[in-house]
Amino acid sequence: MSERVKIAVVGSGYVGLVAAVCFAEIGHQVTCVDIDEAKVAALRAGVVPIHEEHLDALLRRHQPANLTFSTDLAAAASEADAVFIAVGTPQSDTGDADLSYVEAVACEIAHCMHSYKVIVEKSTVPVYTNEWVRRVVERNGGASDMFDVVSNPEFLREGTAVSDFLHPDRIVVGADSDKAAEVLDAIYEPLTSGAYYAQPDAIPGYRNANSRPPLLVTSAKSAEIIKHASNAFLATKISFINAVAALCEAAGANIEQVAQGMGMDERIGRRFLRPGIGYGGSCFPKDVAAFRSVAEQMGLEFGLLSEVEKINTQQTKRFLAKVRSALWTLRGKKLGVLGLAFKGDTDDIRESPAIALVRMFLDEGCAIRAYDPAAMERAREVLPQSGEKNGSLTYTLSAYEVAEGADALLILTDWPEFGKLDLARLESSLRYPIIIDGRNLYDPREMTSAGLTYLSIGRPDAHPASQSSAEKEKATA
Ligand code: UGA
């Protein structure tokens, strides 16, 4: 039977909460700590603050036997063999990660070193953070032989966080001591041995007892860089395909065919080559900026990353121009907007390109009706009701309501349900039968045979065969 490790997870944000719940799921004794009393009270009552499959069920399964929530960091850290730091590392004005929360937690943990502990960085942090954490703990009275600092970055995606955690491609453990690496080995043993996957009630995913995740042990610094470099590389892939999509538009080629042809080369791979309106979310924009800034601090200019950011910013502007090219002037135009979240299957709107576009359209004076299956509540908190030139924003209860009387329907988030809409119904609801898809969810032929003009990313504009040339002109003037 695998060893049960006493774990404290500090921070109950996306990464902290998912890690805490999943560590309990694989058999450990976990206390999840947060300074936000209201959040802790809600979690104790079983209320999950984020939209994430399996999380509610696992919370119910393990609370309170294997999993408790607390505001008392000192008590949780004193008891624990491993303390995971999963607090926020927001972006500062200069693009660097603000590490003040990490430092504050390290100071507090320093006073709890009554037994040997592994302090684990789970938040995404720049290289050298492990050294700083070590220094801070020592300066605050932690004896150097009583702890080690390990970097164990997390690669989960929002929307599939629980299954990503339990079915990882790899587990990276950046440990500079064997003793610390052994503790992390024991924590992940239910996954690396395959024992977890043999359980009848295991959360399903692509791993099984015969396909177990590898655990890669590296230096702490390498692990810190692996996390930043992985996110920066994925963002680079997205900006690359978006730049190629622009080229396809100019040349009259089709980006979907190009991406397919490129992705069939196993060295390139098909994933993360979906063109769109740019990447968003709480990770890629922040991590690309932080990685670029880390390089600068070391005297290196990582110009590639500046280009990646530039292409990403241009991508939303290109979409605005595409809408303008279809509708001519924007002021007073009625736009139906499908999607506000930064990607499908999440209610998260942080750095969402959809939100950025809604702001732009509002400022252009458009009357917007928007719908998102999960993110409208959050959008209401940040989006203005009107824009600079009398634009206005209202929310609807369904995708079809958004289309009623609209001059065009825009798809801004890749929710699966937006790819399965009743096109005949949309065609009869829209004032002009135009769909402008920022996520390439449809085959253009499907749209044109439903009588719709379809503009997407990196593909030729598609018009219904029966459309008169006057209508065609009106649609793309
Ligand atoms: C991302 C990484 O994928 C995770 O591995 C990582 O752990 C996480 O950041 C993090 O650092 O915490 P996430 O932000 O949840 O996960 O979202 P992704 O699914 O990676 O999507 C990011 C953005 O890129 C979204 O706006 C999405 O729409 C966009 N995207 C993604 C594309 O435009 N094209 C693609 O082909 C893929």
Side-chain angles (χ1 to χ4, degrees):
M1 193 178 133
S2 39
E3 193 184 329
R4 190 169 159 88
V5 181
K6 283 190 192 148
I7 295 175
V9 177
V10 189
S12 65
Y14 234 100
V15 170
L17 182 58
V18 171
V21 168
C22 290
F23 284 142
E25 168 72 358
I26 59 174
H28 303 298
Q29 183 66 52
V30 185
T31 305
C32 184
V33 182
D34 203 293
I35 47 170
D36 184 337
E37 288 182 14
K39 201 170 175 193
V40 167
L43 285 163
R44 279 183 183 149
V47 180
V48 178
I50 50 179
H51 181 86
E52 200 61 55
E53 199 184 4
H54 305 303
L55 209 50
D56 297 59
L58 292 189
L59 201 65
R60 274 197 303 275
R61 191 183 282 180
H62 297 294
Q63 195 180 198
N66 301 338
L67 175 64
T68 51
F69 292 93
S70 166
T71 51
D72 189 345
L73 171 56
S78 300
E79 282 286 303
D81 302 315
V83 184
F84 284 76
I85 304 180
V87 293
T89 53
Q91 190 175 335
S92 68
D93 298 340
T94 52
D96 309 343
D98 171 355
L99 297 173
S100 53
Y101 299 112
V102 175
E103 183 180 4
V105 171
C107 283
E108 224 176 317
I109 298 172
H111 303 295
C112 312
M113 294 291 166
H114 319 299
S115 57
Y116 172 79
K117 291 182 199 315
V118 182
I119 300 171
V120 192
E121 301 166 352
K122 199 64 164 156
S123 312
T124 302
V125 289
V127 65
Y128 285 121
T129 305
N130 73 92
E131 284 191 358
W132 271 108
V133 170
R134 159 164 291 284
R135 219 170 291 164
V136 165
V137 174
E138 283 176 359
R139 279 182 190 166
N140 285 276
S144 61
D145 57 343
M146 290 297 273
F147 75 98
D148 280 300
V149 183
V150 167
S151 166
N152 171 223
E154 188 47 61
F155 302 101
L156 55 81
R157 288 161 300 170
E158 291 189 17
T160 51
V162 170
S163 59
D164 284 347
F165 190 101
L166 295 168
H167 297 264
D169 287 350
R170 78 299 207 189
I171 297 160
V172 174
V173 172
D176 297 323
S177 94
D178 292 345
K179 194 173 173 187
E182 275 164 28
V183 174
L184 271 289
D185 244 347
I187 290 175
Y188 286 106
E189 194 271 344
L191 302 182
T192 53
S193 69
Y196 174 70
Y197 308 113
Q199 288 176 20
D201 56 357
I203 296 296
Y206 88 104
R207 294 281 178 200
N208 56 54
N210 300 320
S211 152
R212 295 165 286 160
L215 186 145
L216 175 71
V217 180
T218 67
S219 71
K221 282 181 194 158
S222 297
E224 288 166 334
I225 291 185
I226 286 170
K227 172 67 194 189
H228 263 154
S230 298
N231 273 4
F233 189 79
L234 291 170
T236 304
K237 255 187 128 173
I238 298 169
S239 277
F240 187 89
I241 206 66
N242 282 334
V244 178
L247 189 69
C248 286
E249 280 177 24
N254 182 327
I255 189 64
E256 296 300 329
Q257 295 171 356
V258 172
Q260 188 184 8
M262 287 170 62
M264 285 164 94
D265 183 328
E266 283 183 13
R267 293 169 301 174
I268 297 173
R270 185 68 186 88
R271 292 167 80 190
F272 276 72
L273 284 184
R274 273 182 290 115
I277 51 173
Y279 60 77
S282 64
C283 302
F284 284 177
K286 172 171 77 82
D287 291 351
V288 172
F291 200 34
R292 181 174 41 73
S293 170
V294 164
E296 264 165 32
Q297 283 162 25
M298 292 179 191
L300 299 164
E301 201 195 346
F302 207 151
L304 174 65
L305 297 183
S306 311
E307 258 334 283
V308 167
E309 289 174 314
K310 197 168 121 197
I311 294 167
N312 200 51
T313 312
Q314 277 167 355
Q315 205 59 16
T316 40
K317 294 187 185 143
R318 287 178 56 79
F319 189 80
L320 180 92
K322 193 181 280 289
V323 176
R324 205 194 293 279
S325 79
L327 296 176
W328 188 19
T329 61
L330 289 177
R331 190 169 184 161
K333 288 280 156 55
K334 289 188 184 140
L335 300 180
V337 164
L338 290 181
L340 297 163
F342 81 97
K343 64 173 187 177
D345 290 320
T346 176
D347 61 351
D348 198 337
I349 54 159
R350 286 176 287 175
E351 300 291 324
S352 169
I355 295 283
L357 276 164
V358 168
R359 283 185 201 279
M360 289 182 196
F361 288 122
L362 278 177
D363 287 344
E364 291 283 344
C366 298
I368 297 173
R369 280 150 71 87
Y371 172 73
D372 187 288
M376 290 197 288
E377 211 174 297
R378 286 178 192 242
R380 269 199 191 94
E381 290 165 14
V382 301
L383 279 175
Q385 300 282 306
S386 57
E388 278 169 14
K389 298 180 195 155
N390 294 328
S392 65
L393 171 62
T394 51
Y395 299 90
T396 70
L397 294 173
S398 83
Y400 297 104
E401 252 184 86
V402 150
E404 276 164 27
D407 294 313
L409 181 70
L410 318 183
I411 302 177
L412 302 186
T413 305
D414 53 350
W415 278 96
E417 67 178 77
F418 293 162
K420 294 181 236 156
L421 296 169
D422 177 344
L423 299 181
R425 189 168 163 192
L426 288 181
E427 197 272 338
S428 63
S429 304
L430 284 161
R431 178 157 176 250
Y432 299 138
I434 305 172
I435 295 192
I436 309 172
D437 182 358
R439 300 290 189 163
N440 287 6
L441 298 188
Y442 287 90
D443 179 339
R445 282 168 304 190
E446 205 186 340
M447 285 285 180
T448 52
S449 48
L452 290 153
T453 287
Y454 182 60
L455 277 55
S456 55
I457 308 290
R459 296 186 288 188
D461 296 349
H463 302 275
S466 60
Q467 198 181 41
S468 72
S469 59
E471 275 176 317
K472 226 184 245 183
E473 253 169 46
K474 187 169 68 181
T476 55

Short mmCIF file of all heavy atoms in Angstrom, two decimals, residues 13-34:
data_model
loop_
_atom_site.label_atom_id
_atom_site.label_comp_id
_atom_site.label_asym_id
_atom_site.label_seq_id
_atom_site.Cartn_x
_atom_site.Cartn_y
_atom_site.Cartn_z
N GLY A 13 -6.83 28.83 -4.99
CA GLY A 13 -7.18 29.27 -6.35
C GLY A 13 -7.26 28.05 -7.25
O GLY A 13 -7.35 26.91 -6.77
N TYR A 14 -7.19 28.27 -8.55
CA TYR A 14 -7.33 27.17 -9.50
C TYR A 14 -6.38 26.02 -9.19
O TYR A 14 -6.78 24.88 -8.97
CB TYR A 14 -7.08 27.67 -10.92
CG TYR A 14 -8.23 27.33 -11.80
CD1 TYR A 14 -9.19 28.27 -12.11
CD2 TYR A 14 -8.37 26.04 -12.27
CE1 TYR A 14 -10.26 27.94 -12.89
CE2 TYR A 14 -9.45 25.69 -13.05
CZ TYR A 14 -10.39 26.65 -13.36
OH TYR A 14 -11.45 26.31 -14.11
N VAL A 15 -5.09 26.34 -9.16
CA VAL A 15 -4.08 25.29 -9.01
C VAL A 15 -4.15 24.69 -7.60
O VAL A 15 -4.14 23.47 -7.43
CB VAL A 15 -2.67 25.86 -9.31
CG1 VAL A 15 -1.59 24.87 -8.94
CG2 VAL A 15 -2.57 26.21 -10.79
N GLY A 16 -4.24 25.56 -6.57
CA GLY A 16 -4.24 25.08 -5.19
C GLY A 16 -5.42 24.16 -4.90
O GLY A 16 -5.26 23.07 -4.35
N LEU A 17 -6.60 24.60 -5.29
CA LEU A 17 -7.80 23.82 -4.97
C LEU A 17 -7.78 22.48 -5.70
O LEU A 17 -8.05 21.43 -5.10
CB LEU A 17 -9.05 24.62 -5.35
CG LEU A 17 -10.38 23.96 -5.03
CD1 LEU A 17 -10.50 23.63 -3.55
CD2 LEU A 17 -11.55 24.86 -5.47
N VAL A 18 -7.44 22.51 -6.97
CA VAL A 18 -7.42 21.26 -7.74
C VAL A 18 -6.35 20.32 -7.17
O VAL A 18 -6.58 19.12 -6.98
CB VAL A 18 -7.18 21.54 -9.25
CG1 VAL A 18 -6.94 20.24 -10.01
CG2 VAL A 18 -8.36 22.30 -9.83
N ALA A 19 -5.17 20.87 -6.85
CA ALA A 19 -4.10 20.03 -6.31
C ALA A 19 -4.54 19.43 -4.97
O ALA A 19 -4.37 18.22 -4.73
CB ALA A 19 -2.82 20.84 -6.13
N ALA A 20 -5.14 20.24 -4.10
CA ALA A 20 -5.55 19.75 -2.78
C ALA A 20 -6.56 18.61 -2.93
O ALA A 20 -6.42 17.54 -2.31
CB ALA A 20 -6.15 20.90 -1.97
N VAL A 21 -7.56 18.83 -3.75
CA VAL A 21 -8.61 17.83 -3.93
C VAL A 21 -8.01 16.55 -4.54
O VAL A 21 -8.34 15.43 -4.13
CB VAL A 21 -9.74 18.41 -4.80
CG1 VAL A 21 -10.69 17.34 -5.26
CG2 VAL A 21 -10.49 19.50 -4.04
N CYS A 22 -7.13 16.71 -5.51
CA CYS A 22 -6.56 15.53 -6.18
C CYS A 22 -5.55 14.79 -5.29
O CYS A 22 -5.47 13.56 -5.35
CB CYS A 22 -5.92 15.93 -7.51
SG CYS A 22 -7.15 16.42 -8.74
N PHE A 23 -4.81 15.50 -4.45
CA PHE A 23 -3.92 14.80 -3.51
C PHE A 23 -4.76 13.95 -2.55
O PHE A 23 -4.38 12.84 -2.19
CB PHE A 23 -3.06 15.79 -2.72
CG PHE A 23 -1.90 16.37 -3.51
CD1 PHE A 23 -1.52 17.70 -3.35
CD2 PHE A 23 -1.17 15.58 -4.38
CE1 PHE A 23 -0.46 18.23 -4.07
CE2 PHE A 23 -0.09 16.10 -5.10
CZ PHE A 23 0.26 17.43 -4.95
N ALA A 24 -5.92 14.49 -2.13
CA ALA A 24 -6.81 13.71 -1.26
C ALA A 24 -7.31 12.49 -2.04
O ALA A 24 -7.38 11.37 -1.51
CB ALA A 24 -7.97 14.58 -0.79
N GLU A 25 -7.64 12.71 -3.31
CA GLU A 25 -8.17 11.62 -4.16
C GLU A 25 -7.16 10.48 -4.30
O GLU A 25 -7.54 9.31 -4.40
CB GLU A 25 -8.55 12.21 -5.53
CG GLU A 25 -8.84 11.22 -6.65
CD GLU A 25 -10.17 10.46 -6.50
OE1 GLU A 25 -10.86 10.67 -5.50
OE2 GLU A 25 -10.47 9.64 -7.39
N ILE A 26 -5.85 10.80 -4.30
CA ILE A 26 -4.88 9.71 -4.45
C ILE A 26 -4.36 9.22 -3.08
O ILE A 26 -3.34 8.55 -3.00
CB ILE A 26 -3.71 10.07 -5.41
CG1 ILE A 26 -2.93 11.30 -4.95
CG2 ILE A 26 -4.24 10.27 -6.83
CD1 ILE A 26 -1.68 11.59 -5.80
N GLY A 27 -5.11 9.58 -2.04
CA GLY A 27 -4.89 8.91 -0.76
C GLY A 27 -4.13 9.67 0.31
O GLY A 27 -3.78 9.09 1.34
N HIS A 28 -3.86 10.94 0.11
CA HIS A 28 -3.10 11.68 1.12
C HIS A 28 -4.01 12.46 2.07
O HIS A 28 -5.20 12.64 1.79
CB HIS A 28 -2.07 12.60 0.45
CG HIS A 28 -1.14 11.83 -0.45
ND1 HIS A 28 -0.30 10.84 0.04
CD2 HIS A 28 -0.94 11.87 -1.79
CE1 HIS A 28 0.39 10.32 -0.98
NE2 HIS A 28 0.01 10.91 -2.10
N GLN A 29 -3.40 12.91 3.17
CA GLN A 29 -4.14 13.69 4.17
C GLN A 29 -3.85 15.17 3.90
O GLN A 29 -2.72 15.61 4.08
CB GLN A 29 -3.63 13.29 5.56
CG GLN A 29 -4.33 13.96 6.71
CD GLN A 29 -5.79 13.50 6.80
OE1 GLN A 29 -6.07 12.31 6.81
NE2 GLN A 29 -6.70 14.47 6.83
N VAL A 30 -4.85 15.91 3.49
CA VAL A 30 -4.59 17.26 2.96
C VAL A 30 -5.33 18.35 3.74
O VAL A 30 -6.51 18.22 4.05
CB VAL A 30 -5.04 17.35 1.48
CG1 VAL A 30 -4.67 18.70 0.88
CG2 VAL A 30 -4.44 16.23 0.65
N THR A 31 -4.60 19.43 4.03
CA THR A 31 -5.25 20.65 4.53
C THR A 31 -4.99 21.74 3.50
O THR A 31 -3.85 21.99 3.13
CB THR A 31 -4.67 21.09 5.89
OG1 THR A 31 -4.77 20.01 6.79
CG2 THR A 31 -5.42 22.30 6.45
N CYS A 32 -6.06 22.37 3.06
CA CYS A 32 -5.92 23.45 2.08
C CYS A 32 -6.16 24.77 2.82
O CYS A 32 -7.18 24.94 3.50
CB CYS A 32 -6.95 23.27 0.96
SG CYS A 32 -6.80 24.49 -0.36
N VAL A 33 -5.20 25.68 2.72
CA VAL A 33 -5.24 26.91 3.51
C VAL A 33 -5.46 28.12 2.60
O VAL A 33 -4.87 28.21 1.53
CB VAL A 33 -3.89 27.11 4.25
CG1 VAL A 33 -3.92 28.36 5.11
CG2 VAL A 33 -3.53 25.89 5.07
N ASP A 34 -6.32 29.03 3.07
CA ASP A 34 -6.48 30.29 2.34
C ASP A 34 -6.76 31.39 3.37
O ASP A 34 -7.37 31.12 4.41
CB ASP A 34 -7.65 30.19 1.34
CG ASP A 34 -7.51 31.21 0.22
OD1 ASP A 34 -7.63 32.43 0.51
OD2 ASP A 34 -7.27 30.81 -0.93
#
